[in-house]
mmCIF file of all heavy atoms in Angstrom:
data_model
loop_
_atom_site.group_PDB
_atom_site.id
_atom_site.type_symbol
_atom_site.label_atom_id
_atom_site.label_comp_id
_atom_site.label_asym_id
_atom_site.label_seq_id
_atom_site.Cartn_x
_atom_site.Cartn_y
_atom_site.Cartn_z
ATOM 1 N N TYR Q 36 60.239 34.156 -11.377
ATOM 2 C CA TYR Q 36 60.399 34.310 -9.945
ATOM 3 C C TYR Q 36 59.581 33.272 -9.177
ATOM 4 O O TYR Q 36 58.583 32.754 -9.755
ATOM 5 C CB TYR Q 36 59.907 35.697 -9.495
ATOM 6 C CG TYR Q 36 60.687 36.868 -10.066
ATOM 7 C CD1 TYR Q 36 60.463 37.362 -11.323
ATOM 8 C CD2 TYR Q 36 61.651 37.541 -9.282
ATOM 9 C CE1 TYR Q 36 61.157 38.463 -11.821
ATOM 10 C CE2 TYR Q 36 62.335 38.657 -9.751
ATOM 11 C CZ TYR Q 36 62.103 39.077 -11.040
ATOM 12 O OH TYR Q 36 62.776 40.189 -11.515
ATOM 13 N N GLN Q 38 57.801 32.863 -5.117
ATOM 14 C CA GLN Q 38 57.518 33.647 -3.927
ATOM 15 C C GLN Q 38 56.825 32.733 -2.908
ATOM 16 O O GLN Q 38 55.748 32.179 -3.173
ATOM 17 C CB GLN Q 38 56.650 34.838 -4.231
ATOM 18 C CG GLN Q 38 56.378 35.767 -3.054
ATOM 19 C CD GLN Q 38 55.590 36.983 -3.442
ATOM 20 O OE1 GLN Q 38 54.757 36.944 -4.337
ATOM 21 N NE2 GLN Q 38 55.838 38.102 -2.766
ATOM 22 N N SER Q 43 59.492 37.934 -0.052
ATOM 23 C CA SER Q 43 59.581 38.697 -1.281
ATOM 24 C C SER Q 43 59.794 37.782 -2.469
ATOM 25 O O SER Q 43 59.907 36.563 -2.316
ATOM 26 C CB SER Q 43 60.771 39.667 -1.155
ATOM 27 O OG SER Q 43 60.825 40.531 -2.293
ATOM 28 N N LEU Q 44 59.778 38.343 -3.667
ATOM 29 C CA LEU Q 44 60.022 37.546 -4.872
ATOM 30 C C LEU Q 44 61.479 37.206 -4.933
ATOM 31 O O LEU Q 44 62.348 38.044 -4.688
ATOM 32 C CB LEU Q 44 59.633 38.354 -6.130
ATOM 33 C CG LEU Q 44 58.166 38.549 -6.436
ATOM 34 C CD1 LEU Q 44 57.528 39.606 -5.556
ATOM 35 C CD2 LEU Q 44 57.987 38.903 -7.916
ATOM 36 N N GLU Q 59 69.853 31.666 -11.500
ATOM 37 C CA GLU Q 59 70.462 32.220 -10.292
ATOM 38 C C GLU Q 59 71.105 31.130 -9.450
ATOM 39 O O GLU Q 59 70.735 29.955 -9.549
ATOM 40 C CB GLU Q 59 69.429 33.017 -9.484
ATOM 41 C CG GLU Q 59 68.861 34.219 -10.213
ATOM 42 C CD GLU Q 59 69.880 35.253 -10.531
ATOM 43 O OE1 GLU Q 59 70.573 35.729 -9.560
ATOM 44 O OE2 GLU Q 59 70.044 35.620 -11.698
ATOM 45 N N ARG Q 97 60.082 41.832 -20.674
ATOM 46 C CA ARG Q 97 60.612 43.160 -20.936
ATOM 47 C C ARG Q 97 60.915 43.263 -22.432
ATOM 48 O O ARG Q 97 61.460 42.334 -23.021
ATOM 49 C CB ARG Q 97 61.917 43.371 -20.164
ATOM 50 C CG ARG Q 97 62.488 44.750 -20.173
ATOM 51 C CD ARG Q 97 63.637 44.838 -19.181
ATOM 52 N NE ARG Q 97 64.785 44.066 -19.566
ATOM 53 C CZ ARG Q 97 65.752 43.785 -18.723
ATOM 54 N NH1 ARG Q 97 65.698 44.109 -17.452
ATOM 55 N NH2 ARG Q 97 66.793 43.088 -19.119
ATOM 56 N N GLY Q 100 66.335 46.076 -22.969
ATOM 57 C CA GLY Q 100 67.016 46.372 -21.720
ATOM 58 C C GLY Q 100 66.787 47.740 -21.156
ATOM 59 O O GLY Q 100 67.117 48.021 -20.021
ATOM 60 N N THR Q 102 63.774 49.320 -21.072
ATOM 61 C CA THR Q 102 62.348 49.577 -20.740
ATOM 62 C C THR Q 102 61.966 48.801 -19.456
ATOM 63 O O THR Q 102 62.709 47.929 -19.022
ATOM 64 C CB THR Q 102 61.412 49.118 -21.842
ATOM 65 O OG1 THR Q 102 61.631 47.715 -22.125
ATOM 66 C CG2 THR Q 102 61.704 49.864 -23.166
ATOM 67 N N GLU Q 103 60.837 49.187 -18.920
ATOM 68 C CA GLU Q 103 60.396 48.515 -17.693
ATOM 69 C C GLU Q 103 59.898 47.124 -18.006
ATOM 70 O O GLU Q 103 59.530 46.789 -19.109
ATOM 71 C CB GLU Q 103 59.284 49.358 -17.028
ATOM 72 C CG GLU Q 103 58.045 49.579 -17.906
ATOM 73 C CD GLU Q 103 58.138 50.825 -18.755
ATOM 74 O OE1 GLU Q 103 59.264 51.215 -19.158
ATOM 75 O OE2 GLU Q 103 57.077 51.386 -19.027
ATOM 76 N N ALA Q 104 59.913 46.285 -16.968
ATOM 77 C CA ALA Q 104 59.365 44.938 -17.093
ATOM 78 C C ALA Q 104 57.969 44.891 -16.553
ATOM 79 O O ALA Q 104 57.602 45.618 -15.602
ATOM 80 C CB ALA Q 104 60.254 43.939 -16.288
ATOM 81 N N PHE Q 106 54.727 42.249 -15.254
ATOM 82 C CA PHE Q 106 54.569 40.959 -14.599
ATOM 83 C C PHE Q 106 53.273 40.297 -14.958
ATOM 84 O O PHE Q 106 52.214 40.969 -15.171
ATOM 85 C CB PHE Q 106 54.688 41.138 -13.102
ATOM 86 C CG PHE Q 106 56.074 41.396 -12.609
ATOM 87 C CD1 PHE Q 106 56.656 42.666 -12.758
ATOM 88 C CD2 PHE Q 106 56.865 40.365 -12.082
ATOM 89 C CE1 PHE Q 106 57.921 42.911 -12.349
ATOM 90 C CE2 PHE Q 106 58.141 40.622 -11.663
ATOM 91 C CZ PHE Q 106 58.683 41.924 -11.795
ATOM 92 N N GLY Q 107 53.296 38.964 -14.974
ATOM 93 C CA GLY Q 107 52.065 38.195 -15.080
ATOM 94 C C GLY Q 107 51.380 38.179 -13.743
ATOM 95 O O GLY Q 107 51.888 38.670 -12.721
ATOM 96 N N GLN Q 108 50.184 37.546 -13.732
ATOM 97 C CA GLN Q 108 49.393 37.526 -12.499
ATOM 98 C C GLN Q 108 49.851 36.476 -11.515
ATOM 99 O O GLN Q 108 49.349 36.404 -10.421
ATOM 100 C CB GLN Q 108 47.898 37.358 -12.839
ATOM 101 C CG GLN Q 108 47.505 35.959 -13.301
ATOM 102 C CD GLN Q 108 47.715 35.708 -14.771
ATOM 103 O OE1 GLN Q 108 48.578 36.305 -15.416
ATOM 104 N NE2 GLN Q 108 46.897 34.834 -15.311
ATOM 105 N N TYR T 36 57.782 49.240 -7.933
ATOM 106 C CA TYR T 36 56.695 48.336 -8.227
ATOM 107 C C TYR T 36 55.892 48.155 -6.956
ATOM 108 O O TYR T 36 56.366 48.413 -5.846
ATOM 109 C CB TYR T 36 57.231 46.959 -8.650
ATOM 110 C CG TYR T 36 57.794 46.892 -10.051
ATOM 111 C CD1 TYR T 36 59.056 47.346 -10.336
ATOM 112 C CD2 TYR T 36 57.022 46.395 -11.108
ATOM 113 C CE1 TYR T 36 59.579 47.276 -11.621
ATOM 114 C CE2 TYR T 36 57.517 46.323 -12.370
ATOM 115 C CZ TYR T 36 58.808 46.771 -12.643
ATOM 116 O OH TYR T 36 59.320 46.726 -13.900
ATOM 117 N N GLN T 38 52.928 45.288 -5.077
ATOM 118 C CA GLN T 38 52.312 43.982 -5.164
ATOM 119 C C GLN T 38 51.127 43.944 -4.206
ATOM 120 O O GLN T 38 51.315 44.053 -2.991
ATOM 121 C CB GLN T 38 53.276 42.837 -4.847
ATOM 122 C CG GLN T 38 52.701 41.449 -5.086
ATOM 123 C CD GLN T 38 53.684 40.369 -4.798
ATOM 124 O OE1 GLN T 38 54.577 40.512 -3.982
ATOM 125 N NE2 GLN T 38 53.474 39.251 -5.426
ATOM 126 N N GLY T 43 50.621 39.444 -9.195
ATOM 127 C CA GLY T 43 51.931 39.820 -9.695
ATOM 128 C C GLY T 43 52.216 41.262 -9.454
ATOM 129 O O GLY T 43 51.296 42.076 -9.335
ATOM 130 N N PRO T 44 53.493 41.632 -9.329
ATOM 131 C CA PRO T 44 53.837 43.032 -9.122
ATOM 132 C C PRO T 44 53.331 43.925 -10.260
ATOM 133 O O PRO T 44 53.268 43.515 -11.448
ATOM 134 C CB PRO T 44 55.366 43.026 -9.059
ATOM 135 C CG PRO T 44 55.685 41.675 -8.621
ATOM 136 C CD PRO T 44 54.649 40.785 -9.265
ATOM 137 N N TYR T 87 57.859 48.081 -3.641
ATOM 138 C CA TYR T 87 59.267 47.703 -3.806
ATOM 139 C C TYR T 87 60.026 48.798 -4.565
ATOM 140 O O TYR T 87 59.615 49.197 -5.657
ATOM 141 C CB TYR T 87 59.430 46.392 -4.572
ATOM 142 C CG TYR T 87 58.811 45.190 -3.867
ATOM 143 C CD1 TYR T 87 57.530 44.714 -4.199
ATOM 144 C CD2 TYR T 87 59.573 44.504 -2.908
ATOM 145 C CE1 TYR T 87 57.036 43.604 -3.602
ATOM 146 C CE2 TYR T 87 59.020 43.376 -2.285
ATOM 147 C CZ TYR T 87 57.755 42.940 -2.633
ATOM 148 O OH TYR T 87 57.227 41.854 -2.023
ATOM 149 N N ARG T 91 68.309 49.219 -10.813
ATOM 150 C CA ARG T 91 68.623 48.306 -11.890
ATOM 151 C C ARG T 91 69.455 48.990 -12.955
ATOM 152 O O ARG T 91 69.180 50.124 -13.349
ATOM 153 C CB ARG T 91 67.319 47.819 -12.543
ATOM 154 C CG ARG T 91 67.437 46.539 -13.318
ATOM 155 C CD ARG T 91 66.487 46.553 -14.498
ATOM 156 N NE ARG T 91 67.110 47.022 -15.711
ATOM 157 C CZ ARG T 91 66.524 47.150 -16.862
ATOM 158 N NH1 ARG T 91 65.246 46.950 -16.976
ATOM 159 N NH2 ARG T 91 67.162 47.604 -17.895
ATOM 160 N N GLY T 94 70.422 48.062 -20.047
ATOM 161 C CA GLY T 94 70.907 47.007 -20.886
ATOM 162 C C GLY T 94 70.229 45.660 -20.561
ATOM 163 O O GLY T 94 69.531 45.530 -19.558
ATOM 164 N N ASN T 95 70.447 44.691 -21.435
ATOM 165 C CA ASN T 95 69.756 43.434 -21.309
ATOM 166 C C ASN T 95 70.177 42.602 -20.120
ATOM 167 O O ASN T 95 69.490 41.679 -19.733
ATOM 168 C CB ASN T 95 69.979 42.591 -22.590
ATOM 169 C CG ASN T 95 69.210 43.192 -23.741
ATOM 170 O OD1 ASN T 95 68.192 43.834 -23.548
ATOM 171 N ND2 ASN T 95 69.718 43.019 -24.948
ATOM 172 N N GLY T 97 70.476 43.795 -17.082
ATOM 173 C CA GLY T 97 69.897 44.360 -15.858
ATOM 174 C C GLY T 97 68.736 43.522 -15.327
ATOM 175 O O GLY T 97 67.758 43.305 -16.061
ATOM 176 N N LYS T 98 68.807 43.073 -14.081
ATOM 177 C CA LYS T 98 67.755 42.251 -13.481
ATOM 178 C C LYS T 98 67.042 43.023 -12.416
ATOM 179 O O LYS T 98 67.633 43.915 -11.750
ATOM 180 C CB LYS T 98 68.398 40.978 -12.879
ATOM 181 C CG LYS T 98 69.145 40.140 -13.867
ATOM 182 C CD LYS T 98 69.736 38.909 -13.217
ATOM 183 C CE LYS T 98 70.950 39.239 -12.355
ATOM 184 N NZ LYS T 98 71.623 37.970 -11.936
ATOM 185 N N LEU T 99 65.785 42.674 -12.184
ATOM 186 C CA LEU T 99 65.028 43.253 -11.087
ATOM 187 C C LEU T 99 65.164 42.324 -9.885
ATOM 188 O O LEU T 99 64.578 41.250 -9.867
ATOM 189 C CB LEU T 99 63.570 43.435 -11.450
ATOM 190 C CG LEU T 99 63.224 44.539 -12.439
ATOM 191 C CD1 LEU T 99 61.772 44.483 -12.829
ATOM 192 C CD2 LEU T 99 63.570 45.921 -11.847
ATOM 193 N N PHE T 101 64.324 41.904 -6.048
ATOM 194 C CA PHE T 101 63.381 42.451 -5.047
ATOM 195 C C PHE T 101 63.940 42.330 -3.662
ATOM 196 O O PHE T 101 64.447 41.245 -3.253
ATOM 197 C CB PHE T 101 62.055 41.713 -5.150
ATOM 198 C CG PHE T 101 61.225 42.106 -6.335
ATOM 199 C CD1 PHE T 101 61.558 41.650 -7.599
ATOM 200 C CD2 PHE T 101 60.110 42.928 -6.205
ATOM 201 C CE1 PHE T 101 60.768 41.996 -8.708
ATOM 202 C CE2 PHE T 101 59.373 43.309 -7.299
ATOM 203 C CZ PHE T 101 59.722 42.844 -8.556
ATOM 204 N N GLY T 102 63.830 43.413 -2.903
ATOM 205 C CA GLY T 102 64.112 43.356 -1.481
ATOM 206 C C GLY T 102 62.830 43.058 -0.718
ATOM 207 O O GLY T 102 61.871 42.468 -1.287
#
Side-chain angles (χ1 to χ4, degrees):
Chain Q
Y36 295 81
Q38 185 176 32
S43 185
L44 285 77
E59 295 297 304
R97 188 172 69 196
T102 59
E103 60 271 30
F106 287 78
Q108 75 273 30
Chain T
Y36 285 80
Q38 186 180 27
Y87 296 98
R91 200 213 95 182
N95 289 331
K98 300 181 286 190
L99 287 174
F101 285 75

